[in-house]
Amino acid sequence: MFTLSKYLSLGSLMLIWLVSSAMAIPVNHTLVDAPNYSGSRSIGNGVVGSGNYATGTSASWNINLVEGGLVHYQYSFSVPRTDISHFMLEVSNNLNLSTDYLQSTLNPSNDSPKLWTGGQSNPGLPTGLFGIKYEELGGVLTVNLEFLSTRLPMWGSFYLKGGSSHNAFNTGLNNLASENILDFIAVPDSVRPNDPPSPVVPEPATLALLGIGLSGLGMIHRRRRRS
């Protein structure tokens, strides 16, 4: 026989499940926390590739806050064979190369940053990527990139190309709604180091489910009192 405490326990578990499900949000374009300022991804662990990039491809990053409200970004992209012809690194769509992107070790393409799409130029790119393109890399299997930025890191994407049939990118480009940080890498965001933190406002769906859960607990309690 169910007692009131058992009803309430069951209702509480249901409420917790509803709220936790509603609060699960995609990580794409959310700020990276400090423990993940260094990291790496590889085939089978956040990276997918085709052709000669289907195995042995990797990406790594190391990010540090430096003086003057700047952020130092360091990247390394490696493939096992077939030189990298160009690659793209996602950035926020309001990044200004003149003021927010400084002292780069590689020159961006003249039309960067912009929205890049798939097709002959970027075979295998599953969705649009707003970012900086780097080309004329000199025939290398490993590309290293460093620059300073006024922007803190967010979870975002990259794309590598080597010829018409060799490409690789982070798995998050196949699912931008992913809730797993392993599907993305750290890239420059629109938030600056000295910006005040944004308030966390529950989404309407979260509030609605919370209300449903509380209403359910109230109904259980009222039914128990009548009986």
Side-chain angles (χ1 to χ4, degrees):
M1 180 178 179
F2 278 97
T3 64
L4 175 59
S5 60
K6 289 181 179 179
Y7 273 115
L8 291 176
S9 297
L10 182 61
S12 298
L13 289 174
M14 183 179 296
L15 175 60
I16 292 171
W17 178 80
L18 286 170
V19 173
S20 62
S21 298
M23 293 182 67
I25 59 173
V27 301
N28 187 39
H29 296 169
T30 62
L31 284 177
V32 176
D33 56 350
N36 289 301
Y37 276 17
S38 294
S40 63
R41 303 289 184 261
S42 58
I43 296 294
N45 184 38
V47 176
V48 62
S50 64
N52 288 340
Y53 292 2
T55 60
T57 300
S58 64
S60 63
W61 67 90
N62 187 48
I63 300 169
N64 293 288
L65 302 181
V66 295
E67 293 181 356
L70 297 174
V71 185
H72 178 251
Y73 288 83
Q74 182 178 14
Y75 294 93
S76 181
F77 301 96
S78 295
V79 298
R81 51 193 179 277
T82 306
D83 295 341
I84 301 171
S85 60
H86 74 253
F87 74 97
M88 283 103 73
L89 181 70
E90 186 176 18
V91 297
S92 61
N93 58 13
N94 64 356
L95 184 138
N96 186 312
L97 286 186
S98 299
T99 57
D100 300 318
Y101 178 88
L102 310 168
Q103 300 180 24
S104 176
T105 56
L106 294 176
N107 293 323
S109 65
N110 293 331
D111 48 356
S112 289
K114 74 171 193 177
L115 179 65
W116 305 97
T117 57
Q120 186 175 0
S121 297
N122 303 304
L125 182 63
T127 189
L129 187 160
F130 188 94
I132 300 172
K133 180 180 181 180
Y134 303 88
E135 48 193 356
E136 298 180 4
L137 303 175
V140 293
L141 296 177
T142 296
V143 173
N144 296 311
L145 169 66
E146 292 187 49
F147 58 86
L148 293 174
S149 178
T150 60
R151 310 300 186 89
L152 288 171
M154 67 177 179
W155 292 115
S157 300
F158 75 93
Y159 170 87
L160 307 174
K161 178 196 173 186
S164 60
S165 58
H166 316 294
N167 59 79
F169 49 87
N170 58 290
T171 51
L173 281 176
N174 280 326
N175 179 19
L176 295 177
S178 171
E179 300 164 8
N180 189 349
I181 63 173
L182 294 178
D183 290 329
F184 302 94
I185 69 168
V187 301
D189 190 12
S190 58
V191 179
R192 293 174 170 83
N194 295 326
D195 286 350
S198 300
V200 177
V201 179
E203 296 182 354
T206 302
L207 295 175
L209 284 175
L210 179 60
I212 292 171
L214 292 174
S215 297
L217 286 177
M219 290 176 63
I220 292 173
H221 181 63
R222 287 193 296 273
R223 287 181 179 179
R224 182 60 183 173
R225 290 186 63 183
R226 291 194 190 104
S227 63

